[in-house]
Amino acid sequence: MAYNRGYNPDELPRFAEPEQKDKPAPSPSLRYENKPPPPRPSEQRPPPTDRYRSERLSPRPQERYQMANPSPTSGGQPSPITVSRPPPSPAPRDTGADPTLLPLFRAVDKDGTGQLSEKELSAALVNGDWTPFDPQTVRMMIRMFDSDRSGTIGFEEFCGLWSFLASWRTLFDRFDNDGNGTISLDEFKAALIAFRYRLTDSFIAVLFKTYDKRGMGGMSFDLFVQACISLKRMTDVFKKYDEDRDGFITLSFEDFLIEILRQIK
């Protein structure tokens, strides 16, 4: 199998107020009020030497799929590269309880078990336009933050999930240039470039169409997160097999099937 490679959050994701028909303005306790500061542009740096997002401390020799050099300025020096980085995936023990979120958690925990089921979390999370999160995004969040593999989200796990989505919302708002609450194809392309993916326009169009599940010509916040996380996972699989980092891999049919099964679990 050969993946053609490249690589790799005003309306924050909030909890819907239950049992209100007219959608009044959400109360302060049900929104992200303290957004993290947006990432600072990176200092001038050499261009990445890997078609994946560069995570090494020192550059590698040039490879055939390195990103193009930035266009030179009139002074003959390369222009600074502005790079945004997606929030990192949570570590297995990367938890920390925020007591200010406890009342919110209890309001969402309808059955009082101290654990949020997929249904409870799905009913709580909404986009800026009050549309519910896509079910696949909800399941993805549970898989990422369910550290004890209970199939539910405890309070500490909920705090990590909340912070993670807040960081993604900062990025979403940064690339939503027209402020319409969705990411267009051009905005999506700009985001992927900032994440240091190097992908063809045709592939980006296919990826965009795949995650524009509502057919609006734009991705809502939940689908933007889903698309970016899915792309990173696929890239990580490819990197595992691309030992010489030349952008090509040889994979047996069974290895290919195993990787597909792991992605759809």
Side-chain angles (χ1 to χ4, degrees), residues 161-182:
L161 185 155
W162 186 265
S163 177
F164 183 76
L165 288 179
S167 297
W168 270 106
R169 185 70 210 200
T170 297
L171 285 174
F172 181 87
D173 289 342
R174 178 173 181 177
F175 293 110
D176 181 16
N177 293 324
D178 55 11
N180 68 349
T182 62

Side-chain angles (χ1 to χ4, degrees), residues 15-20 30 102-125 153 158:
F15 284 90
E17 295 182 277
E19 302 176 1
Q20 294 191 15
L30 299 185
L102 186 57
L104 186 58
F105 179 84
R106 289 173 173 169
V108 175
D109 182 19
K110 299 297 184 182
D111 56 9
T113 60
Q115 299 286 328
L116 301 184
S117 66
E118 179 181 332
K119 182 178 180 180
E120 289 171 326
L121 193 58
S122 180
L125 290 174
I153 295 295
F158 173 76

Side-chain angles (χ1 to χ4, degrees), residues 25-223:
S27 63
S29 63
L30 299 185
R31 300 188 59 174
Y32 292 123
E33 295 297 337
N34 296 316
K35 294 164 57 178
R40 295 182 177 178
S42 301
E43 299 295 331
Q44 183 170 328
R45 64 186 68 185
T49 57
D50 193 341
R51 207 174 159 191
Y52 306 118
R53 197 185 76 211
S54 175
E55 297 183 23
R56 292 182 288 270
L57 296 179
S58 58
R60 290 165 54 101
Q62 275 197 331
E63 298 172 356
R64 58 175 297 177
Y65 44 87
Q66 79 170 54
M67 295 178 63
N69 291 327
S71 57
T73 63
S74 57
Q77 297 298 322
S79 302
I81 304 172
T82 300
V83 175
S84 298
R85 293 181 180 274
S89 299
R93 298 183 180 275
D94 186 15
T95 58
D98 181 355
T100 64
L101 292 177
L102 186 57
L104 186 58
F105 179 84
R106 289 173 173 169
V108 175
D109 182 19
K110 299 297 184 182
D111 56 9
T113 60
Q115 299 286 328
L116 301 184
S117 66
E118 179 181 332
K119 182 178 180 180
E120 289 171 326
L121 193 58
S122 180
L125 290 174
V126 296
N127 291 297
D129 59 357
W130 295 94
T131 57
F133 268 33
D134 182 78
Q136 182 61 31
T137 307
V138 177
R139 287 191 289 269
M140 179 180 285
M141 293 297 101
I142 293 177
R143 287 197 302 268
M144 291 177 66
F145 289 92
D146 178 22
S147 58
D148 58 3
R149 297 297 181 262
S150 65
T152 57
I153 295 295
F155 178 58
E156 287 192 356
E157 297 165 339
F158 173 76
C159 292
L161 185 155
W162 186 265
S163 177
F164 183 76
L165 288 179
S167 297
W168 270 106
R169 185 70 210 200
T170 297
L171 285 174
F172 181 87
D173 289 342
R174 178 173 181 177
F175 293 110
D176 181 16
N177 293 324
D178 55 11
N180 68 349
T182 62
I183 296 293
S184 67
L185 176 58
D186 287 341
E187 292 167 339
F188 186 53
K189 180 180 178 181
L192 295 183
I193 291 173
F195 295 161
R196 291 194 174 184
Y197 289 99
R198 188 183 181 187
L199 302 166
T200 63
D201 289 348
S202 58
F203 178 80
I204 293 175
V206 171
L207 186 64
F208 179 84
K209 185 176 180 180
T210 299
Y211 289 95
D212 178 20
K213 297 183 179 181
R214 301 181 179 97
M216 303 184 303
M219 282 190 291
S220 55
F221 171 67
D222 59 324
L223 296 176

